[in-house]
Each structure stands twice: as C-alpha cells, then as structure tokens.
Amino acid sequence: DVFTTYGPQIGSLVAQNLVMDLTEPLKAAGIEDDTVFDAADLYVVDGKRYGAPKDWSPDLSIFVNNKLFEAAGVPIPSTEEPLSWEEIADIARQLTVKQGSATTQFGLGGGWDTFSPAGVISTMLAEDGQLLYAEDQKSMNLTSNPDAVAQLQFMADLAKEGVTHSPANPSASWSGDEFTKGAIAMVIYGYWFNGQLRGGDTAVGTDYTVLPAPYWSDADNQINPTFTATGLAMSSKSENPDAAWAYLNWYLTQEPATDRAKAGWGYPALRANADLLPQETPNDVQVFEVVSRDAERSPALQFNRYYDQAVFQNSYNKYLQNYIDGSMTIDEMAENIQIDVNASIEDGVLQYE
C-alpha cells in the first residue's frame, strides 16, 4: 500500500497509473510548495503531488581530503564560492598519483561513477535552461547539442587521463569507500555522505572539507540538484487507503521525520526541519553551511519517465573503453549512447502509452 521509491521514478509510476494522487492530503499535512525544498517537486507530475521525499541531498557537493591536499601542496579552495568544473578537474589532476599507466591515488571520484552521467549532463545543461531530453521526453538530444557533447567529453577525458575511475582503472569497491581510506582526494556526493564521515572513525578522520557544487559556464547559474530523493508513495490499488495514508503521513511529517533530521543522514524535505540537522562539531557546522546554501539552488531536474538512466550509464561505460583506447571519437561515442538510450525510450513509450 505504501512503498519506498525515488523521485526520478515518479514520472514512470504515474505513466503506469501505479501511484495515488496525494496533493490534497499532503497539503493538509503541511507538504506543499512553500513548506518543502524544490527537490520535493520530483514527486510532482502535471501539478499533482504523488508523494514526498523522506529526505534528500544536493548530490554534487565536493568532499575534500585535507591531508591529501596538504601533501600535494594544493590549497583547499574557498567554501564560499563555487569553482567551475574545469577548475575542479585541474585540481584533481594535481592530486592524481600514478605508477606507470595505473592510478594509485585518484584526484576525483563519485559523481558520474555513482550516479548516471545523464544526471550530471542534465545538471550542466540546466544551468543555461537546456534539457537533455525532448519536452515530451520521447527522445534524448545528445548529439545535436554541442554543449552536451562537450560535457560528455569532459567526463570521458578525465577517465582517459586516469584522474577518475573507468573500465581501465576500476574501483575495487566504490569511490566513497576509497575516500574513507585515503585513496581519493575528492569525491562528489550528497549530504548523506557526511553521515559516514562525521564520527571521525575512518582514515580521513575529521580532516575534511565540503565545497559547493561546481558550475559549468556561469557561477551565477550554479545548481546542486538531487539524483535520488528517496521517499514514499501510495499504491493506486491500495485496499486500505486510510491506514496507508496514516502511516505515510506519520513517517513523512511527524516524529520519524524529525528523528531523521537529527541523525544527519539526509537533508530534510520539510524546510522547518533543516535546523535540526547536526551542528555539534566544526565539521557539522561547515558542512551544514555549504549544503544549506546549495539546498536553495537545487531545482527538480528533468528525469525521463520512459527509461532507466542505468541504460545511459551502461552505454557510457561500454563505449568509454573504445574512447580511451582511441578506437572511437567522442562524437561516435555520443552517437552510440544516443542510439542505445533512444531505443530504450522507444520501448518505454510503447509500454506506457
């Protein structure tokens, strides 16, 4: 009756008539446009609200290992003003350590090796009001957009240089784990990652800093969206909707919501709960200040309702190997990814319409 979902999945669930319109009961419970952060709009389709995040994170925040910066003689950037993606890439190159062709210390991790590259490209495009997908979401516009191809190349070049993970330099686990072990200088993750670090019981200790999300072309247009926004929705086929609603309301707006905020494993959806986030240590305060600023610059991205972004990620990883070994140009890589994604979107359109 009540189930866990992710914000980017709501459009697909609505297309399949699997979720209940909760606009009015959520409004009565205090969840409406002016009481929640914009990320909660991932649960809104055509003006109707079908659920809400239990919590979320601006997912492109940058966690810095201070010790590795100091060892490399690289100053830790300002926590007040965002850097460009190119500036982050240049710093990551300075912090990358190699033995022959193998990378022993990566300059940058997380981001598109954890979330789909499609989400990162969508973020970069959104700064200028552009979309990765057509307005009706029935096709992806990658090859026809020079900005999108340039953004794809930005990620692929860092992998080719061994600055980030790739099929040629895979992670033994995941970038977050490697960061906690002191093997990656910077990772791109959300507020939730601070929950793994704030106790100081990893190799990083408490010697870390969080930076605002980078920007692609204009610092004034910098955004830091969420790619997950885990939350709750109700089945349109619920046989006991009153009890289901009572549970969903309790979990999203009452004691469990305030308890989650105090625990600090995610940014609350309700604005009123943001001040409950941990601010007990210098790290807590520094992270809270940066992420809270970026939380106000976190619009709900366009996610495609007709396919799973894992298709883009799998296609990217497949053709990235060809790009790295020189057997494929970036334009050819983009064309192949677009073919794979649009085929998957076409299947989804046939299934849902």
Side-chain angles (χ1 to χ4, degrees):
D1 290 64
V2 177
F3 58 95
T4 300
T5 185
Y6 301 104
Q9 296 176 329
I10 291 296
S12 174
L13 294 170
V14 171
Q16 298 173 77
N17 297 312
L18 295 176
V19 284
M20 187 177 296
D21 175 10
L22 298 175
T23 307
E24 292 307 317
L26 284 170
K27 183 177 181 179
I31 294 180
E32 53 185 324
D33 289 349
D34 61 352
T35 64
V36 293
F37 290 93
D38 290 347
D41 284 351
L42 287 174
Y43 285 76
V44 176
V45 178
D46 297 330
K48 298 177 180 179
R49 197 175 293 277
Y50 290 88
K54 67 177 182 64
D55 49 38
W56 64 287
S57 288
D59 277 321
L60 293 177
S61 304
I62 299 178
F63 289 76
V64 166
N65 182 322
N66 297 346
K67 295 175 185 176
L68 297 185
F69 271 66
E70 291 164 6
V74 177
I76 296 171
S78 168
T79 61
E80 299 289 331
E81 300 295 332
L83 297 176
S84 70
W85 280 104
E86 286 293 350
E87 288 172 321
I88 290 295
D90 287 342
I91 293 171
R93 291 183 181 101
Q94 296 176 60
L95 291 157
T96 299
V97 178
K98 290 188 172 185
Q99 289 184 353
S101 60
T103 301
T104 57
Q105 176 182 295
F106 289 90
L108 185 65
W112 54 90
D113 72 24
T114 301
F115 310 108
S116 173
V120 179
I121 292 174
S122 290
T123 300
M124 294 170 170
L125 292 175
E127 289 183 14
D128 295 324
Q130 300 183 67
L131 297 173
L132 180 59
Y133 306 101
E135 289 281 357
D136 64 4
Q137 301 192 10
K138 294 182 180 180
S139 63
M140 182 178 72
N141 305 323
L142 178 61
T143 60
S144 60
N145 187 333
D147 290 337
V149 174
Q151 291 151 4
L152 178 72
Q153 184 167 8
F154 171 81
M155 292 184 281
D157 282 346
L158 289 177
K160 188 172 185 177
E161 296 169 30
V163 176
T164 62
H165 287 300
S166 73
N169 271 304
S171 171
S173 51
W174 64 293
S175 291
D177 178 61
E178 293 188 40
F179 182 85
T180 65
K181 295 175 179 175
I184 297 182
M186 296 184 288
V187 287
I188 305 168
Y189 285 130
Y191 179 80
W192 55 269
F193 189 59
N194 189 57
Q196 298 194 28
L197 301 177
R198 61 184 298 265
D201 53 359
T202 73
V204 177
T206 57
D207 207 3
Y208 64 93
T209 302
V210 171
L211 308 180
Y215 64 91
W216 180 252
S217 58
D218 186 342
D220 289 339
N221 295 332
Q222 175 254 18
I223 59 175
N224 190 354
T226 185
F227 299 132
T228 51
T230 306
L232 296 184
M234 275 178 57
S235 170
S236 59
K237 299 176 176 58
S238 173
E239 295 182 359
N240 195 345
D242 290 341
W245 162 251
Y247 174 81
L248 183 143
N249 181 29
W250 170 77
Y251 191 79
L252 292 180
T253 70
Q254 298 175 28
E255 185 177 358
T258 57
D259 287 348
R260 285 193 302 275
K262 292 173 184 177
W265 281 91
Y267 209 85
L270 284 164
R271 289 180 173 276
N273 289 343
D275 286 339
L276 299 177
L277 291 166
Q279 298 180 61
E280 300 159 7
T281 69
N283 283 98
D284 286 342
V285 172
Q286 192 273 316
V287 174
F288 176 80
E289 289 176 350
V290 170
V291 176
S292 292
R293 286 197 300 270
D294 274 7
E296 300 295 346
R297 305 175 66 93
S298 187
L301 284 183
Q302 180 205 46
F303 288 93
N304 194 289
R305 70 183 64 181
Y306 296 113
Y307 93 117
D308 188 324
Q309 284 192 146
V311 173
F312 190 116
Q313 187 157 26
N314 292 337
S315 185
Y316 171 85
N317 288 335
K318 178 171 66 174
Y319 298 117
L320 180 60
Q321 299 179 67
N322 301 110
Y323 180 72
I324 289 172
D325 67 25
S327 63
M328 183 176 285
T329 67
I330 195 65
D331 288 330
E332 291 169 335
M333 181 179 174
E335 179 66 30
N336 279 282
I337 292 172
Q338 181 157 297
I339 290 170
D340 289 350
V341 168
N342 280 340
S344 182
I345 290 175
E346 184 177 351
D347 288 343
V349 171
L350 293 172
Q351 180 180 352
Y352 301 150
E353 294 190 350

